[in-house]
Structure formats: C-alpha cells, structure tokens
Amino acid sequence: MLSTDFTSQLRELQECIENKRNELIELGMTYGFADKITIKCSQDLDKLINIQMHAVVSIGLKYQGVKRLYSSCFV
C-alpha cells in the first residue's frame, strides 16, 4: 500500500499537470503554438508528465517485486 504522503504528492502532481495543460491551451490560443512562450510551457508540461510516469513506473516495479516475493512464499 502506498503511503498517504506519497499518494497526496501524486494527486498534487496530477493537479499541476492539469493546470499546466490548461495554461498551454490558453497560451496556444493567445500566442500560437509555435511561439516561444507556448513552447516553453509545453516543455514544462513534458517534464511534469515525465516525473509522473517515472513515479508510476517505480510504484509498479515495487508492487511487482512485492507481489513476486509474496507469491513465492506460497509455492
């Protein structure tokens, strides 16, 4: 089971991603999608998504390891 602190951090990260995505859409509509400020925002969004994906993969790998260890106890 994930710690409450880690879970809340993941939720907070998801909220940041949603806010950044909305900001990107607004910037794209205002300045165009090829403008430097829009591209910078897009890169920032990419970084946030990469952080999220690494966290999710890390959780998955830990879960799979625990699952394997647990199931091997009952073989």
Side-chain angles (χ1 to χ4, degrees):
M1 174 159 257
L2 295 175
S3 72
T4 314
D5 187 46
F6 191 73
T7 303
S8 65
Q9 288 176 348
L10 283 177
R11 282 193 198 116
E12 198 174 308
L13 179 58
Q14 181 61 37
E15 188 177 319
C16 287
I17 289 170
E18 290 171 16
N19 291 339
K20 187 59 73 173
R21 186 176 290 130
N22 290 334
E23 180 184 353
L24 177 61
I25 292 167
E26 285 295 318
L27 288 171
M29 298 299 285
T30 303
Y31 299 104
F33 290 98
D35 190 84
K36 288 180 183 182
I37 194 167
T38 307
I39 292 170
K40 172 71 170 100
C41 183
S42 177
Q43 291 169 340
D44 291 344
L45 176 60
D46 289 344
K47 288 176 187 175
L48 290 171
I49 292 170
N50 283 330
I51 291 168
Q52 181 187 46
M53 293 306 298
H54 284 292
V56 169
V57 167
S58 175
I59 292 166
L61 291 175
K62 287 178 186 174
Y63 174 74
Q64 289 300 321
V66 170
K67 187 175 168 184
R68 270 187 247 113
L69 179 63
Y70 181 77
S71 62
S72 69
C73 293
F74 298 98
V75 174

